Amino acid sequence: MAETPLDLSLDAPELTARLVDFPSVSGDEKALADAIEEALRALPHLTVDRHGNNVVARTHLGRAERVVLAGHIDTVPIADNVPSRLDGNGVLWGCGTSDMKSGVAVQLRIAATVPAPNRDLTFVFYDNEEVAAHLNGLGHVADAHPDWLAGDFAVLLEPSDAQVEGGCQGTLRVLLRTAGERAHSARSWMGSNAIHSAAPILARLASYEPRRPVIDGLEYHEGLNAVAIEGGVAGNVIPDACTVTVNFRYAPDRTEQEALAHVREVFADCDIAEFVVDDHSGAALPGLSHPAAAAFMAAVGGTARPKFGWTDVSRFSALGVPAVNYGPGDALFAHKRDEHVAVERITHCEERLRAWLTA
Ligand SMILES: [Zn+2]
């Protein structure tokens, strides 16, 4: 455990190693949040605010645009992979190297070394990303101090292998319950079979043709699928209840209300006794048509790709701030015992972001 505050004069790869050696498993981020706050408070060009173990630092230069650089400071549980280890091939190993202390190191380096950026900057460091959504520090800041997160564009430095991942798809889970009437299966005509009543639901799902809309140049791919089915009473009973659990992954050109309305419409002709919304997290627009995003794309290069899974960019989108993922880590190695990051990727991301913010 480091006792001195973080030294922001270290280069980003070295800083990543220090951050990895400073354990901060979800729920245990206070010491690291303290160190980050202390290091940022020493920078005269930033104002620093704190809510719980979430630290927000901002410039106030009166620039025409404000961009947000955000990252979570927690990690999944350590798996014999701390302290960090730099091998002879320029690869740094350890818990959080990819997800996402390398990204946090880049944020801290930009905060420390770009005192007069061409756009006002907001740096967000938050806790509890790797655990249940209601604990998520970014969500807590969004609820308590939405003004701290205001901006024209946000970059989350989550592992994306130094590629831009725009927006994210929404996810809706509904329970479709059918009803029937119990009877002895020897006299089945006396009852009504709820499992059979689910057949039209399954037929709709099997024949459903998902859209592949192109938004800001990115092709998304929706999906409507049964992910569970439950029903039956006993081997000799006609069942009176059946539940089909359906998951809809939808592109960011639909609002939450529109997504829900679409699913209701798909099953409108089915005989559904109860339609229950079990879980719903909205999609996020990639926002790549915004001028700040276009300049960002030009500076970082490459081609943006869509994000199919749900991520915290959606929390920014809900606040009206378009957001992308762009970070040095590789998501394929996140949460793994052999988690690692290429030092070259860390340096590359830092250079690209600096170019964007100082051009
Ligand atoms: Zn992460």
Side-chain angles (χ1 to χ4, degrees):
M1 185 74 82
E3 286 170 16
T4 50
L6 291 170
D7 180 358
L8 301 188
S9 70
L10 295 173
D11 67 25
E14 280 182 88
L15 194 52
T16 304
R18 295 294 164 88
L19 289 167
V20 172
D21 298 345
F22 206 129
S24 57
V25 176
S26 307
D28 202 11
E29 299 95 332
K30 183 179 182 301
L32 181 53
D34 288 348
I36 288 173
E37 181 185 2
E38 190 176 342
L40 293 173
R41 285 203 188 276
L43 301 170
H45 62 282
L46 296 174
T47 60
V48 179
D49 292 295
R50 178 161 174 165
H51 177 84
N53 289 326
N54 308 291
V55 180
V56 177
R58 286 176 285 178
T59 63
H60 296 279
L61 299 164
R63 303 286 195 249
E65 285 175 353
R66 173 175 292 279
V67 298
V68 183
L69 302 181
H72 62 85
I73 60 172
D74 62 319
T75 69
V76 294
I78 291 163
D80 292 330
N81 51 1
V82 167
S84 60
R85 178 174 64 83
L86 180 66
D87 71 15
N89 299 315
V91 176
L92 183 68
W93 301 76
C95 182
T97 45
S98 221
D99 187 11
M100 55 166 284
K101 289 184 169 176
S102 51
V104 170
V106 169
Q107 285 177 267
L108 289 169
R109 284 294 292 166
I110 297 290
T113 62
V114 186
N118 53 16
R119 297 167 172 86
D120 269 308
L121 295 179
T122 299
F123 300 92
V124 182
F125 303 88
Y126 62 100
D127 68 351
N128 280 320
E129 190 274 344
E130 301 287 7
V131 287
H134 72 275
L135 298 171
N136 185 299
L138 187 61
H140 291 183
V141 175
D143 288 342
H145 305 282
D147 52 307
W148 293 3
L149 303 180
D152 297 287
F153 181 60
V155 178
L156 270 90
L157 285 93
E158 285 277 8
S160 73
D161 207 18
Q163 305 278 317
V164 178
E165 292 176 338
C168 77
Q169 297 208 131
T171 179
L172 165 65
R173 195 168 61 235
V174 295
L175 311 178
L176 307 182
R177 301 195 205 279
T178 58
E181 194 183 339
R182 282 194 201 190
H184 196 296
S185 61
R187 289 175 293 279
S188 57
W189 56 89
M190 303 294 286
S192 157
N193 193 316
I195 293 179
H196 294 185
S197 297
I201 296 172
L202 301 179
R204 285 291 148 76
L205 289 165
S207 64
Y208 184 80
E209 295 204 11
R211 295 187 316 146
R212 300 176 74 157
V214 176
I215 304 161
D216 280 0
L218 307 188
E219 187 186 14
Y220 288 83
H221 197 158
E222 297 189 326
L224 182 71
N225 289 280
V227 291
I229 187 162
E230 198 182 351
V233 179
N236 57 356
V237 177
I238 301 301
D240 59 352
C242 178
T243 301
V244 182
T245 304
V246 171
N247 182 212
F248 184 38
R249 296 283 175 154
Y250 59 91
D253 58 346
R254 297 189 201 264
T255 65
E256 289 181 55
Q257 292 83 346
E258 287 165 351
L260 184 56
H262 175 68
V263 172
R264 285 189 190 279
E265 190 188 309
V266 168
F267 301 106
D269 295 341
C270 301
D271 191 9
I272 293 170
E274 203 184 355
F275 183 109
V276 180
V277 176
D278 192 38
D279 187 45
H280 200 175
S281 296
L285 284 165
L288 296 176
S289 52
H290 189 282
F296 170 76
M297 286 305 302
V300 302
T303 312
R305 56 191 186 191
K307 185 77 180 171
F308 296 121
W310 195 87
T311 80
D312 271 336
V313 298
S314 180
R315 293 184 198 276
F316 280 104
S317 188
L319 293 169
V321 184
V324 298
N325 285 310
Y326 175 77
D330 185 339
L332 293 179
F333 294 101
H335 303 187
K336 295 189 68 175
R337 201 174 279 273
D338 62 347
E339 182 171 355
H340 59 269
V341 65
V343 164
E344 173 274 330
R345 284 291 151 82
I346 305 175
T347 310
H348 173 85
C349 275
E350 182 189 358
E351 282 173 0
R352 294 296 87 211
L353 288 175
R354 180 175 285 109
W356 172 47
L357 297 168
T358 59

